[in-house]
Amino acid sequence: DIQMTQSPSSLSASVGDRVTITCQASQDIAKYLNWYQQKPGRAPQLLIYDVSNLQTGVPSRFSGSGFGTDFNLTVSSLQPEDTATYFCHQYDSLSTFGGGTKVEI
Amino acid sequence: EVQLVQSGAEVKKPGESLKISCQGFGYPFVAYWIGWVRQMPGQGLEWMGTIYPGDSDTRYSPSFQGQVTISADKAINTAYLQWSSLKASDNAMYYCARQENGNYKYWGQGTLVTVSS
């Protein structure tokens, strides 16, 4: 099965900072990569699908890039409401989630 | 409006059986895969498996194959996740989610399973 390695596992940044989270797949998954945001006590929410497509309602400060095995989620200007844990998710072969990145401000 | 409504929290003893549910509203339930995701306390998301309610085609993560059973009753728009013999390590929040074009846009509210002697 495909393993998804996310880094860092946690980060602390300031309001307005540019932040990048990486996700590496154990094999080529082409563009079959999504990102989710989860706030404490809540179900995850779809943020970005198919590498770079913003889900409706997601602020444009979020962006995604990558192809094959290496992917990034970038927040161009971190806001207080972005405090959350972020997960990547591959669906090229069954599904696998990354280990998560906890973002604190 | 699409909604996935999960059954309520459960408290069980090790060795007991359990079946939790996820009912879909506001869309043709038979037409979309439903996935199940585990989240252990303070941990990340683990994909367990998925079912297509239209024909009950089911796929499991190798990590969960043989540990749980996923099923569905399309007559009542409900998917299930069940254990025949719970362990303490099954303590977790369990989410169902609807898969569309590979992504999980709609999620249930979660079912907390507590296994304690």
Side-chain angles (χ1 to χ4, degrees):
Chain A
D1 50 335
I2 299 174
Q3 308 300 318
M4 304 298 292
T5 304
Q6 245 182 276
S7 61
S9 56
S10 66
L11 67 89
S12 182
S14 300
V15 172
D17 282 355
R18 181 182 180 89
V19 165
T20 297
I21 297 167
T22 68
C23 186
Q24 186 170 58
S26 59
Q27 64 190 67
D28 190 333
I29 59 169
K31 67 174 181 69
Y32 303 117
L33 190 284
N34 305 314
W35 291 96
Y36 298 84
Q37 177 192 67
Q38 187 181 30
K39 297 188 176 182
R42 306 291 299 274
Q45 286 192 295
L46 179 66
L47 206 61
I48 290 174
Y49 61 95
D50 294 345
V51 177
S52 59
N53 297 285
L54 257 60
Q55 176 59 21
T56 304
V58 173
S60 59
R61 62 180 179 272
F62 289 93
S63 64
S65 62
F67 188 84
T69 60
D70 296 298
F71 303 89
N72 292 330
L73 171 68
T74 298
V75 187
S76 61
S77 178
L78 205 61
Q79 299 302 305
E81 60 268 30
D82 301 334
T83 295
T85 303
Y86 295 84
F87 296 93
C88 60
H89 161 234
Q90 71 79 21
Y91 65 97
D92 178 62
S93 174
L94 298 180
S95 276
T96 318
F97 288 95
T101 298
K102 186 174 184 179
V103 175
E104 294 175 318
I105 297 172
Chain B
E1 180 196 3
V2 174
Q3 279 192 322
L4 295 172
V5 179
Q6 297 186 231
S7 49
E10 300 274 1
V11 179
K12 292 288 191 180
K13 291 181 166 48
E16 290 186 333
S17 62
L18 176 64
K19 192 173 189 177
I20 63 174
S21 66
C22 169
Q23 189 170 20
F25 295 90
Y27 74 96
F29 186 73
V30 295
Y32 294 87
W33 290 82
I34 292 285
W36 286 95
V37 177
R38 182 175 80 174
Q39 188 165 40
M40 299 175 77
Q43 302 300 309
L45 306 175
E46 298 174 273
W47 187 81
M48 303 176 72
T50 188
I51 188 165
Y52 188 75
D55 61 5
S56 289
D57 186 6
T58 309
R59 317 278 170 86
Y60 293 92
S61 159
S63 299
F64 290 93
Q65 179 84 48
Q67 307 304 307
V68 296
T69 301
I70 294 171
S71 60
D73 184 342
K74 60 186 179 183
I76 56 171
N77 293 353
T78 301
Y80 301 98
L81 177 66
Q82 70 180 91
W83 296 259
S84 58
S85 180
L86 286 161
K87 310 181 196 63
S89 57
D90 293 318
N91 267 306
M93 180 71 81
Y94 293 87
Y95 293 102
C96 65
R98 190 187 91 167
Q99 189 166 22
E100 180 177 353
N101 297 322
N103 62 70
Y104 289 112
K105 180 179 173 184
Y106 297 101
W107 292 72
Q109 82 276 20
T111 296
L112 183 65
V113 173
T114 301
V115 183
S116 174
S117 53

